[in-house]
Amino acid sequence: MFNFMKKKSKAETPQQRAERDSAVDKVLLGYEVGTVSIATMVTGLERDGQVLTLDLRLPKDSNPEQIQQELGQLLHPHGIRTIHMNVRLPADVKGAGASLPKAMPKTTDAMATHAKPATQADQQPTSSEPPITKAAPTQASLAAHPRIRHIIVVASGKGGVGKSTTTVNIALALQKLGNRVGVLDADIYGPSMPTMLGVADIKPELENEQFVPVEAHSIAMLSIGSLLDSDNTPVAWRGPKATGALMQLYNQTNWPQLDYLVIDMPPGTGDIQLTLAQRIPVTGAVIVTTPQHVALMDAQKGVEMFNKTNIPVLGVVENMALHTCSNCNHTEAIFGSGGGEFIAEQYQVPLLGQLPLASGIRAQVDKGVPSVLADDEFASYYLSIAKNIETNIAKFAKPVDDKRIF
């Protein structure tokens, strides 16, 4: 596993380091080689002050020199003065030097201000304008997966609202309605699907260089958590590495024929959400929130992000709406009331359902037997949400390209 921890620079404050690292990540996410973000090709990254070192695995027909020059121009406004690129290209099986990888020089100042005078043969037209790069893909341009009918993302603006618990129960409810369902755990930094589905100790197999999803209660599941050594292993990856892992889990998995692939998203509106919006053909999003004012503000940001990336919002799930005391049966809205209804009305989307705050729901997922699977008193809530999703999802479906080859 690569170490993506960066060296500290004495000349920078922690805030300046964070701002510059964030700017670098955004440039890498937006820069494309062909039609693929270069962030997915980064195998190692290190920044020391104004010097950026990249280890890259580029496609065969790419031009490393041009890439280095363009990245240099894009990163220069963000304080990066020198770029070191260590590049590996696929071997040319037809050439005599097929076994020798092509690599960039170790040290290259892409934005040198005191370069030696160029000869006439070396002179190139210069421009102060940034290089023209191809626009990022949009949802409308993404072809549907040939074996997946609908891809649903379950998201929240903040953590701690029960998003993953809701995800796993919605997936099981859709299956109980007669659908073939898969689950992709895109919460790279806090994967929980293996534990919630009771398959934490099972590793996915590899077949023809593709992952075979873990079968959990007849659901095809894949999570970065299934690939880690233990539950305590942290995923200390920067943005490009995390987004690259998401795309690998999606693209390099031999998914069976599915009616639904339910994706458990990490909280927030960061790099992983942006990559998903640009790379994965999503049918629609489900927003999970609690009635609490702070949670509602973050949920609104999530809705706005999906609106801007042209991903339909299928509806809102209000979790922890009411709590009934197990001793006296008194019912109380601990986190407030009406929040889910407010967002649904504000954005003209359905309120898919309201879920209680109950220790039984938590206890069941901790045991790896979620409420829908256990068929307990709370299962009907999730079945109702699944039925509401099925009622409206057909109008958002993407046309399937059966001739697509992976």
Side-chain angles (χ1 to χ4, degrees):
M1 186 177 294
F2 294 98
N3 180 8
F4 277 72
M5 304 304 291
K6 49 192 176 295
K7 294 181 179 179
K8 296 182 179 180
S9 172
K10 295 180 181 179
E12 292 179 306
T13 66
Q15 181 178 358
Q16 289 172 330
R17 285 199 302 273
E19 291 175 352
R20 186 172 295 184
D21 289 339
S22 177
V24 169
D25 288 347
K26 289 180 180 179
V27 169
L28 294 177
L29 282 169
Y31 183 85
E32 294 188 341
V33 179
T35 59
V36 179
S37 169
I38 199 172
T40 64
M41 306 172 192
V42 175
T43 59
L45 185 151
E46 183 177 87
R47 186 179 69 79
D48 186 3
Q50 298 179 342
V51 180
L52 179 69
T53 301
L54 293 174
D55 296 331
L56 296 167
R57 189 176 297 275
L58 296 176
K60 179 179 178 180
D61 57 351
S62 59
N63 185 334
E65 288 82 2
Q66 180 182 359
I67 291 172
Q68 187 179 40
Q69 181 181 7
E70 292 179 350
L71 281 178
Q73 294 182 35
L74 291 172
L75 291 168
H76 186 262
H78 303 295
I80 299 299
R81 299 295 182 262
T82 303
I83 298 178
H84 301 165
M85 282 176 49
N86 302 313
V87 177
R88 297 190 71 86
L89 298 174
D92 186 359
V93 297
K94 296 182 180 180
S99 62
L100 298 177
K102 183 177 180 180
M104 290 291 293
K106 177 62 179 175
T107 303
T108 303
D109 187 347
M111 303 299 297
T113 55
H114 300 291
K116 65 179 182 179
T119 63
Q120 183 175 0
D122 293 333
Q123 290 178 352
Q124 298 286 343
T126 59
S127 172
S128 59
E129 296 295 324
I132 299 176
T133 57
K134 188 174 180 179
T138 61
Q139 279 291 313
S141 67
L142 298 177
H145 194 291
R147 297 189 299 278
I148 302 174
R149 185 180 174 197
H150 298 300
I151 296 178
I152 297 176
V153 297
V154 182
S156 64
K158 70 186 297 295
V161 298
K163 169 187 55 62
S164 295
T165 300
T166 303
T167 299
V168 71
N169 276 295
I170 286 178
L172 288 165
L174 288 169
Q175 182 196 50
K176 199 164 187 177
L177 294 177
N179 298 290
R180 297 164 297 181
V181 180
V183 172
L184 173 58
D185 192 352
D187 195 347
I188 302 296
Y189 299 109
S192 56
M193 286 296 115
T195 299
M196 290 185 172
L197 285 168
V199 290
D201 298 329
I202 301 178
K203 303 294 183 184
E205 297 181 357
L206 277 175
E207 185 176 285
N208 298 324
E209 298 186 354
Q210 285 196 315
F211 292 114
V212 178
V214 174
E215 184 174 330
H217 312 293
S218 299
I219 282 182
M221 188 280 301
L222 194 64
S223 167
I224 194 69
S226 300
L227 306 175
L228 300 177
D229 295 332
S230 70
D231 293 340
N232 296 327
T233 303
V235 181
W237 292 345
R238 295 181 61 192
K241 183 70 173 178
T243 54
L246 168 63
M247 294 312 302
Q248 185 177 11
L249 291 178
Y250 173 74
N251 286 321
Q252 200 174 326
T253 298
N254 187 17
W255 296 105
Q257 289 289 339
L258 298 175
D259 296 307
Y260 292 93
L261 177 65
V262 184
I263 301 181
D264 182 33
M265 296 296 295
T269 55
D271 292 339
I272 293 179
Q273 287 84 352
L274 179 61
T275 296
L276 179 141
Q278 294 178 343
R279 306 295 178 194
I280 297 179
V282 178
T283 305
V286 173
I287 304 295
V288 179
T289 185
T290 64
Q292 186 181 9
H293 178 62
V294 174
L296 292 174
M297 290 192 299
D298 290 332
Q300 288 173 306
K301 295 174 185 176
V303 175
E304 291 287 353
M305 183 201 70
F306 287 122
N307 287 341
K308 290 180 180 179
T309 54
N310 297 316
I311 293 178
V313 176
L314 302 176
V316 176
V317 173
E318 185 183 73
N319 196 21
M320 308 180 192
L322 293 171
H323 172 67
T324 300
C325 178
S326 58
N327 292 324
C328 65
N329 291 324
H330 172 68
T331 299
E332 183 178 3
I334 295 178
F335 292 108
S337 61
E341 295 174 348
F342 172 77
I343 292 184
E345 182 178 350
Q346 180 183 13
Y347 290 99
Q348 297 298 300
V349 297
L351 178 61
L352 298 173
Q354 295 172 298
L355 299 167
L357 173 62
S359 61
I361 296 177
R362 186 271 309 160
Q364 289 301 132
V365 294
D366 283 350
K367 293 191 299 184
V369 188
S371 292
V372 173
L373 192 63
D375 198 19
D376 62 14
E377 59 183 304
F378 308 109
S380 60
Y381 291 95
Y382 297 105
L383 286 168
S384 176
I385 292 171
K387 290 176 182 177
N388 289 334
I389 290 174
E390 286 216 293
T391 299
N392 297 312
I393 199 169
K395 61 185 177 183
F396 301 114
K398 297 179 181 293
V400 176
D401 181 5
D402 295 325
K403 297 180 181 180
R404 181 178 172 185
I405 299 175
F406 284 87

